[in-house]
Amino acid sequence: MKLAIPRKLLSLVVESCRGSPVERVFFGVGRAEGDTISVHEVEECPNVSETPTVRFLADPLCTLRVFESAEGKGMRVVMLAHCHPAPPRPSPEDLRGMSLSSAMCWLIVSSLTGEYKAWILEKEEPREVEVEALEA
């Protein structure tokens, strides 16, 4: 399994997250085919959490708009990206969220270092997946 994302979109997410005092949240729109999750577009939604420095909650109206837009283009939301001030691995809260959206790949960025890793939930356990930055 791998996450394929254009380098410019990956850089946008990583640079937006690096040094951010709040957790930021993005959705990746694209397709999942075979063992590849391909992201074609990225949309940031405001974090409306009451504690945005340690938790994220994507604005529900923005989230709905992203999902409807993806559907209208014949695609779907295939990635959720966010950052937190820790290493780029799923927190217990992330794991709960992943269990609700197991069809999505989660890209987690450390706001401290800019390091990133992608994850899927497989048999209720997080599994790291390769990230391929495309030159397109």
Side-chain angles (χ1 to χ4, degrees):
M1 177 73 65
K2 73 176 172 182
L3 174 67
I5 181 171
R7 185 176 305 280
K8 68 178 184 176
L9 295 180
L10 179 60
S11 294
L12 170 77
V13 171
V14 171
E15 292 309 314
S16 295
C17 289
R18 189 189 323 251
S20 177
V22 298
E23 292 199 12
R24 298 180 75 165
V25 59
F26 303 80
F27 290 102
V29 174
R31 294 185 173 83
E33 299 169 320
D35 282 347
T36 302
I37 297 167
S38 299
V39 174
H40 301 286
E41 302 172 9
V42 169
E43 180 80 32
E44 183 173 12
C45 285
N47 180 352
V48 297
S49 169
E50 291 182 7
T51 53
T53 58
V54 294
R55 191 165 275 118
F56 77 89
L57 174 62
D59 177 88
L61 292 177
C62 179
T63 301
L64 178 62
R65 183 178 51 75
V66 172
F67 275 78
E68 287 177 341
S69 174
E71 187 177 304
K73 296 174 183 175
M75 295 188 281
R76 65 185 185 92
V77 176
V78 294
M79 179 192 78
L80 184 146
H82 79 287
C83 62
H84 49 224
R89 60 180 174 260
S91 67
E93 190 162 325
D94 291 340
L95 292 173
R96 283 190 293 279
M98 291 173 80
S99 71
L100 299 174
S101 58
S102 61
M104 271 194 274
C105 180
W106 283 46
L107 180 71
I108 302 175
V109 181
S110 169
S111 59
L112 302 174
T113 65
E115 181 185 7
Y116 59 87
K117 293 184 179 182
W119 303 87
I120 59 169
L121 201 60
E122 192 172 82
K123 298 180 184 173
E124 299 184 32
E125 292 294 323
R127 181 168 71 91
E128 186 177 351
V129 298
E130 174 189 356
V131 177
E132 180 181 4
L134 305 172
E135 295 298 333

